[in-house]
Amino acid sequence: MNDQKIRRPRQADIATLAGVSVSTVSRVLANEPGISESVRRQILKVAAENGYPVKPASDAVAGGLALIASDGVTGTLSVFYEAIVDGLRVGAAEAGMPFEVRLVREDRTTPDAVRDYMQTASAEGLFLVGIDPNEMLRDWLQASVIPTVLVNGTDPRMQFDGVSPANFFGAYEATSRLIKAGHRRILHLSGSHRHTIRERVRGFEAAIAAVAGAEGRLVSLTLQGSASREAHERTAEALAENAGFTAAFCMNDFIAVGVLEAVTEAGLRVPEDFAIVGFDDLPCALMTNPALSTMRVDRAALGREAVLLMLSRFRNRTASARHICQAVVPIPGGTVPNT
């Protein structure tokens, strides 16, 4: 009886059958990053069907999907989130994590929709970027034990991992800059349902409360249209009251631009008569005259830290939730004296 030796398939054979290059097969079998998930699955399927010994990769990284809140007015990605996306992409590539992004409206993040998004992307982990999960989504994510990281988000119940700027401390510092410059009647223009923005309001109020004789007023914005235009209108109204407010801390730099325009139109000098501090350090901060004094958020770092949290969650899916705060740094400008 003659025993025929069965030849083991080579990587070149797998490449031919899968319709890809040998180098692509080599990279997939070595679990290297940079290959689309669909191609990776196809190569592994062909290899398994043809008896190629695929070594289980204990260090292979599960895929991640980022759902990012779109701009409610234009339906596009907010400039604030562009650098966060870059940080997520860089972090995922460095970790070898298959990674995809979807732009969604926050009011459409139902469990069924999110499940479909994740299945389409073959993702095991979910990044919610600028999205606070509603009760229905929260309950489903917890029941499904889906690794979830809030990016630029804070979970007041500490049930999900998250990373955000130090919103309370950043707002406290921003307001303190105005107080140190001699201002005692300060406006805070803000408007959002998000927990992160509520933290900025708390920081403003705490800084005001820490100084005897200081008075703060929260000017709530609807943010239904142009944030800059609405801030302009509300600031003009506050100035017309002659209530003696001489400074404003703004929720973000777009709002600060509107405040600066209103103050200038009212004939006040900036920063001599009226001082302004923004938040986020967006590109528009350098386009005003004078340039905005603001608070810098390292948005790319938020994305990279979010990937590290996800990797940790993949390793231990039952560990207690963690939240990472990134420091917010004062940026000098011309809208506050000597800052």
Side-chain angles (χ1 to χ4, degrees), residues 171-186 202-217:
Y172 191 101
E173 175 63 20
T175 309
S176 296
R177 292 170 71 181
L178 296 169
I179 292 173
K180 290 173 184 175
H183 298 278
R184 292 297 180 270
R185 305 202 75 195
I186 303 171
R202 287 184 55 241
F204 167 74
E205 293 173 341
I208 293 294
V211 177
E215 178 185 345
R217 177 191 289 181

Side-chain angles (χ1 to χ4, degrees), residues 45-179:
K45 178 175 181 292
V46 170
E49 290 175 347
N50 289 273
Y52 189 94
V54 178
K55 181 180 178 181
S58 58
D59 58 346
V61 179
L65 170 68
L67 296 182
I68 303 179
S70 65
D71 182 288
V73 177
T74 65
T76 58
L77 182 63
S78 162
V79 65
F80 179 85
Y81 289 116
E82 290 177 357
I84 292 180
V85 172
D86 289 341
L88 283 166
R89 290 190 188 280
V90 169
E94 291 176 348
M97 175 190 294
F99 178 74
E100 293 191 27
V101 177
R102 295 286 186 277
L103 196 64
V104 299
R105 280 180 45 180
E106 186 170 2
D107 59 0
R108 294 181 179 175
T109 52
T110 63
D112 287 343
V114 172
R115 182 190 298 110
D116 290 343
Y117 282 129
M118 295 190 71
Q119 289 177 348
T120 300
S122 298
E124 293 186 36
L126 179 67
F127 298 95
L128 292 177
V129 187
I131 295 173
D132 295 329
N134 56 46
E135 286 298 320
M136 189 164 52
L137 180 58
R138 172 187 287 273
D139 292 344
W140 177 73
L141 290 170
Q142 287 190 298
S144 304
V145 197
I146 293 174
T148 303
V149 176
L150 307 184
V151 190
N152 189 44
T154 301
D155 180 13
R157 303 181 194 175
M158 279 302 293
Q159 295 172 327
F160 297 111
D161 296 323
V163 57
S164 71
N167 289 293
F168 175 90
F169 298 104
Y172 191 101
E173 175 63 20
T175 309
S176 296
R177 292 170 71 181
L178 296 169
I179 292 173

Side-chain angles (χ1 to χ4, degrees), residues 29-44:
L29 296 178
N31 294 298
E32 293 182 6
I35 305 295
S36 73
E37 192 59 24
S38 60
V39 171
R40 186 183 299 276
R41 288 197 302 267
Q42 172 65 11
I43 290 173
L44 292 175

